[in-house]
Amino acid sequence: MGFARTCSVALVGVEGVVVEVQADLEPGVAAFTLVGLPDKSLSESRDRVRAAVVNSGAEWPQKKLTVGLSPASVPKGGSGFDLAVAAAVLGAAERIDPRTIADLVLIGELGLDGRVRPVRGILPAVLAAAEAGYSQVVVPEQTAGEASLVPGVSVLGVRTLRQLIAVLTDEPVPDEEADEEGRPDAMLAGLLVPGAGIGTGLAATPAEGPDLADVAGQHRARLALEVAAAGGHHLLLSGPPGAGKTMLAERLPGILPPLTRQESLEVTAVHSVAGILPPGEPLVRRAPYCAPHHSATMQSLVGGGNGLPKPGAVSLAHRGVLFLDEAPEFSGKALDALRQPLESGHVVIARAAGVVRLPARFLLALAANPCPCGRHTLYGAGCECPASLVRRYQARLSGPLLDRIDLRVEAEPVTRADLLGQGGRGETTAAVAARVHEARTRTAARLADTPWRVNSEIPGHELRTRYLAAPGALATAERDVERGLLTARGLDRVLRVAWTVADLAGHDRPDSQDIALALELRTGVARGVPVGAGEPA
């Protein structure tokens, strides 16, 4: 009787569980039994592993073979267990020493010819292995760079099962032929979800992306964009078609600061599981940008799918921007489903196959027309929408959702002078991004000993007791609360925006001018604050 064990990782959302792969050989009629709650694609690994072992020059044991995946209560799926199953079988057959694979974590799919194909979710899988105390992992050669992002883990990238056997038995490692230069690597197909597209959800680099200087006019909206980027505040741009709402939102990722190391790992893990991680770019360093069409379903926004839920748009935009153009055209249920992740920074999806918790801390940008035809606010434009239709259209953005939006700005029609550049071009993306970076630096210094990163994450209680505004600065905001113009949540959000305005201006704490500008950006009601107030000269 032969026995061997090794390890692999089962992914549940973006979290991993280390699975022990055990192989047992007993005398009897040759058979291959796989147990441990495998799904269809994992059950098919019996045929893939048998063919890969034989075509790699090893002998397949002609005995009763049982492979168990433990813990058996955890659902397991995908083809990433193939490499671990093959190693466990070869260990039980004494082709390799069982002791050499006992503490190894092996992840990869096997082709029938013995080639090791890459799979999605390598980064979160290796992270789970490292947290469980494992220090050696074997992955497909194409994903070795992604696995190497985890510190303290020794990574071995293999191209074929023959190479792995040679390494484990101290034999000469064979040189495997690579694909012809210039031809696409067919092995990378396992990393991409069909129809998702390469790079979906990633913004262009600042050098390649659109420039904020291309936007004509819209001084108040540009200011709101800068405040949103500096403090992580959610933004609503409303106004007639052609005013530049979409142009502004598309330029928002360009003024966001680069991701930190921890944020990059979080974003890369989500994109790896979703199958949209660009080949050759193992670490995402830029804030992601996701702009789903208004016909998107609730499942595509928050996550879902058959079996265990897959990441949706809110998770693909984690640590970046989620832009909903023509927001009133989205399903009401889909929009209201955003309320929970806007508050908590994650989304919990419960399905029959299990419950998955996915990260979803994003900056929400909404763009909306005033009515179905878009001409309701334009003087003499001939809007023929009945008043009842206008009210129903605007009511598609529910009150509870709007209460979670920090900044609400009206995008005015572009004047001829602005369009022809007679008033001069606006600031470039690089100039605004530099101010945002300085403001974020001030915020980070103030919040150094706290669990929060940006002003939008500070709880209301802390704002009212620990981070106080200047004496008398809140008088106007307090009157708005008494009149019912602001809710308790709204007051907290005004305070958060005021702190961001103060950080942009270099103030130690918000003064009455900063509060007035925050109120105007929150309510859309002019407070007599000129554009530029609260900003550095």
Side-chain angles (χ1 to χ4, degrees), residues 102-169:
D103 295 323
L104 276 182
V105 175
L106 300 102
I107 308 167
E109 176 186 334
L110 286 176
L112 300 184
D113 56 354
R115 288 186 299 172
V116 182
R117 302 180 65 92
V119 294
R120 299 189 297 272
I122 288 292
L123 178 59
V126 177
L127 282 170
E131 291 175 358
Y134 292 88
S135 59
Q136 294 181 314
V137 298
V138 179
V139 298
E141 186 180 56
Q142 293 88 342
T143 57
E146 183 181 345
S148 300
L149 297 174
V150 182
V153 175
S154 175
V155 178
L156 172 63
V158 295
R159 187 174 299 172
T160 64
L161 182 59
R162 281 186 292 270
Q163 288 184 338
L164 177 61
I165 295 173
V167 170
L168 295 177
T169 56

Side-chain angles (χ1 to χ4, degrees), residues 28-48:
V29 178
F32 189 170
T33 304
L34 182 63
V35 298
L37 214 59
D39 70 351
K40 180 65 175 177
S41 61
L42 180 51
S43 297
E44 292 174 349
S45 68
R46 294 174 296 186
D47 300 317
R48 291 194 299 268

Side-chain angles (χ1 to χ4, degrees), residues 53-432:
V53 168
V54 172
N55 291 326
S56 297
E59 183 180 353
W60 183 260
Q62 298 300 317
K63 296 181 179 180
K64 182 182 179 181
L65 171 62
T66 303
V67 173
L69 309 175
S70 179
S73 59
V74 177
K76 306 166 191 73
S79 55
F81 290 88
D82 289 2
L83 197 59
V85 171
V89 172
L90 292 173
E94 298 183 352
R95 174 63 177 86
I96 57 180
D97 188 348
R99 293 172 295 182
T100 62
I101 60 174
D103 295 323
L104 276 182
V105 175
L106 300 102
I107 308 167
E109 176 186 334
L110 286 176
L112 300 184
D113 56 354
R115 288 186 299 172
V116 182
R117 302 180 65 92
V119 294
R120 299 189 297 272
I122 288 292
L123 178 59
V126 177
L127 282 170
E131 291 175 358
Y134 292 88
S135 59
Q136 294 181 314
V137 298
V138 179
V139 298
E141 186 180 56
Q142 293 88 342
T143 57
E146 183 181 345
S148 300
L149 297 174
V150 182
V153 175
S154 175
V155 178
L156 172 63
V158 295
R159 187 174 299 172
T160 64
L161 182 59
R162 281 186 292 270
Q163 288 184 338
L164 177 61
I165 295 173
V167 170
L168 295 177
T169 56
D170 293 329
E171 298 175 358
V173 179
D175 292 329
E176 303 292 348
E177 295 182 2
D179 291 339
E180 295 181 13
E181 187 175 353
R183 292 182 58 187
D185 190 353
M187 301 291 281
L188 296 176
L191 298 177
L192 303 175
V193 173
I198 299 177
T200 298
L202 294 180
T205 61
E208 301 172 350
D211 199 321
L212 198 56
D214 298 335
V215 180
Q218 303 301 348
H219 305 292
R220 184 67 71 186
R222 291 169 61 99
L223 172 60
L225 208 70
E226 183 175 342
V227 173
H233 304 288
H234 306 306
L235 171 67
L236 168 62
L237 297 170
S238 58
K245 303 186 296 296
T246 303
M247 290 184 66
L248 286 164
E250 289 175 344
R251 285 150 178 78
L252 181 54
I255 63 177
L256 290 174
L259 299 177
T260 64
R261 173 75 177 185
Q262 180 60 34
E263 292 170 346
S264 294
L265 290 175
E266 294 175 8
V267 174
T268 302
V270 174
H271 286 212
S272 178
V273 170
I276 60 173
L277 193 64
E281 188 176 346
L283 185 65
V284 178
R285 294 181 174 86
R286 294 167 281 134
Y289 173 77
C290 193
H293 191 260
H294 62 257
S295 61
T297 63
M298 183 173 65
Q299 288 76 16
S300 66
L301 283 181
V302 300
N306 297 327
L308 287 175
K310 304 297 190 298
V314 296
S315 297
L316 299 181
H318 179 60
R319 300 298 183 187
V321 177
L322 175 63
F323 175 49
L324 303 185
D325 201 2
E326 305 292 346
E329 300 293 343
F330 280 79
S331 162
K333 291 183 178 180
L335 289 175
D336 286 337
L338 300 177
R339 287 153 53 179
Q340 186 255 340
L342 285 176
E343 288 288 336
S344 62
H346 64 266
V347 59
V348 179
I349 309 169
R351 295 291 187 270
V355 179
V356 172
R357 184 181 186 271
L358 298 169
R361 189 168 294 282
F362 55 91
L363 194 162
L364 177 64
L366 304 175
N369 292 329
C371 68
C373 75
R375 301 190 297 269
H376 178 66
T377 57
L378 297 178
Y379 177 75
C383 174
E384 298 179 355
C385 299
S388 58
L389 179 60
V390 174
R391 287 194 299 270
R392 286 198 302 270
Y393 186 80
Q394 295 178 350
R396 293 181 181 178
L397 299 178
S398 67
L401 175 63
L402 290 178
D403 203 30
R404 290 166 168 82
I405 305 299
D406 299 348
L407 310 172
R408 307 174 192 173
V409 180
E410 184 76 21
E412 300 293 339
V414 181
T415 64
R416 182 180 63 178
D418 289 331
L419 192 60
L420 298 179
Q422 297 175 0
R425 293 187 69 193
E427 290 182 296
T428 63
T429 294
V432 178

